[in-house]
């Protein structure tokens, strides 16, 4: 069974400090991993993804994430947080096995990031 | 930049009524999805649609739900007889291929009274 865990409901950081939003996953087969961000009253906006290759992937707005296969993690990071980064962040996984993708995304519960000035 | 659009943004309905949620996926995309997010809970997959048929559905997607692509642009989710527990934010998503990123619409907030 596929699942995603985001162990922190909330992360609070000061502007200018580095931030990390944690995600661990469980899949049968190789994972495709995604981060989405949701601003109030908005839809889910794609930030970045890991499919294959370099374990460190870079995405929109200065965010990056590191795929760690041994720890089954895909933590979202940013070296210097901005107040405008405050939003709800979702980690998601898709499974790939047997030459086909199973298209559905499995989401974590979301982590509310608050960056204070 | 192309985006997925959804209408209405909000809908209030009485229990037992039928609702149709509408989505316009990105124009050259081929795979379409519906997800829902009950307040305070995680985003959950409902159904995927490709080549004019359902390719996968979750256990949530029972006989009360149906999807349709009535023309070349719209993708709809119908709930035949709404229940209180159908109250949620419903997201439509589309992608150009099975390996690619799913892009989400802004959602329709459905409230069943």
């Amino acid at each position: 069974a596929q699942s995603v865990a985001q162990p922190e409901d909330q992360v609070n950081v000061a502007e200018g400090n580095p931030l990390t939003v944690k995600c661990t996953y469980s899949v049968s087969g190789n994972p495709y991993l995604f981060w989405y961000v949701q601003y109030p009253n908005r839809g889910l906006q794609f930030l970045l993804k890991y499919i294959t290759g370099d374990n460190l992937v870079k995405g929109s707005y200065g965010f990056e994430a590191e795929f760690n296969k041994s720890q089954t993690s895909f933590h979202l990071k940013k070296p210097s947080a901005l107040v405008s980064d405050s939003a709800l962040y979702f980690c998601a996984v898709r499974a790939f096995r047997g030459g086909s993708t199973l298209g559905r995304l499995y989401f974590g519960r979301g982590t509310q990031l608050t960056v204070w000035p | 930049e192309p985006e997925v659009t959804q209408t209405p943004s909000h809908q209030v309905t009485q229990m037992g009524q039928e609702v149709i949620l509408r989505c316009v996926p990105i124009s050259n995309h081929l795979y379409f999805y519906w997800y829902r997010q009950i307040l305070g809970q995680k985003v959950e997959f409902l159904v995927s649609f490709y080549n004019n048929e359902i390719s996968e559905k979750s256990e949530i997607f029972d006989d009360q739900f149906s999807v349709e692509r009535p023309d070349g642009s719209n993708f709809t989710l119908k709930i035949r007889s709404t229940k209180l527990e159908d109250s949620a934010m419903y997201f439509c998503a589309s992608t150009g291929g099975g390996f690619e990123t799913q892009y989400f619409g802004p959602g329709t907030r459905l409230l069943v009274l």
Side-chain angles (χ1 to χ4, degrees):
Chain A
Q2 278 62 241
S3 66
V4 174
Q6 293 181 242
E8 301 156 317
D9 290 335
Q10 292 200 359
V11 170
N12 300 308
V13 298
E15 188 172 36
N17 283 0
L19 69 86
T20 298
V21 183
K22 295 179 180 177
C23 171
T24 59
Y25 66 89
S26 174
V27 293
S28 304
N30 293 319
Y32 286 1
L33 294 153
F34 301 81
W35 276 101
Y36 288 85
V37 59
Q38 184 179 32
Y39 296 98
N41 300 314
R42 302 286 297 275
L44 299 168
Q45 295 181 35
F46 168 72
L47 272 183
L48 52 77
K49 66 182 176 185
Y50 172 81
I51 303 297
T52 186
D54 193 348
N55 288 345
L56 183 66
V57 292
K58 295 186 184 294
S60 307
Y61 313 119
F63 284 92
E64 57 188 31
E66 186 165 13
F67 170 64
N68 187 316
K69 187 173 183 177
S70 63
Q71 298 186 1
T72 61
S73 67
F74 189 57
H75 301 331
L76 182 70
K77 300 181 180 183
K78 187 173 183 181
S80 179
L82 299 172
V83 173
S84 56
D85 293 330
S86 298
L88 188 57
Y89 290 80
F90 290 95
C91 182
V93 67
R94 286 170 61 187
F96 172 71
R97 65 175 186 264
S100 69
T101 59
L102 303 179
R104 62 189 295 181
L105 289 170
Y106 294 84
F107 284 85
R109 293 179 62 87
T111 298
Q112 180 66 48
L113 172 67
T114 301
V115 182
W116 37 276
Chain B
E1 184 176 323
E3 57 184 19
V4 178
T5 59
Q6 290 185 243
T7 54
S9 58
H10 294 79
Q11 180 148 5
V12 181
T13 190
Q14 296 291 323
M15 189 170 55
Q17 294 297 303
E18 174 183 285
V19 296
I20 298 176
L21 310 183
R22 291 182 167 78
C23 167
V24 179
I26 293 172
S27 63
N28 61 346
H29 282 185
L30 301 174
Y31 297 78
F32 314 114
Y33 307 84
W34 284 101
Y35 293 81
R36 78 174 185 189
Q37 183 183 27
I38 295 172
L39 190 63
Q41 299 186 23
K42 64 174 66 177
V43 177
E44 302 173 292
F45 168 80
L46 292 176
V47 65
S48 60
F49 192 85
Y50 169 70
N51 199 26
N52 284 321
E53 61 183 23
I54 291 173
S55 50
E56 188 183 4
K57 60 183 180 179
S58 73
E59 60 280 0
I60 302 169
F61 194 89
D62 61 21
D63 292 344
Q64 294 297 316
F65 292 89
S66 63
V67 289
E68 190 178 32
R69 187 155 165 82
D71 54 42
S73 60
N74 290 284
F75 179 50
T76 61
L77 174 69
K78 182 192 291 186
I79 309 175
R80 258 183 277 281
S81 177
T82 51
K83 298 176 263 198
L84 296 177
E85 54 264 38
D86 294 328
S87 295
M89 178 74 92
Y90 287 81
F91 292 108
C92 173
S94 71
T95 182
F99 294 86
E100 297 181 14
T101 300
Q102 292 179 25
Y103 291 94
F104 285 76
T108 294
R109 186 171 296 283
L110 176 66
L111 178 61
V112 182
L113 301 175

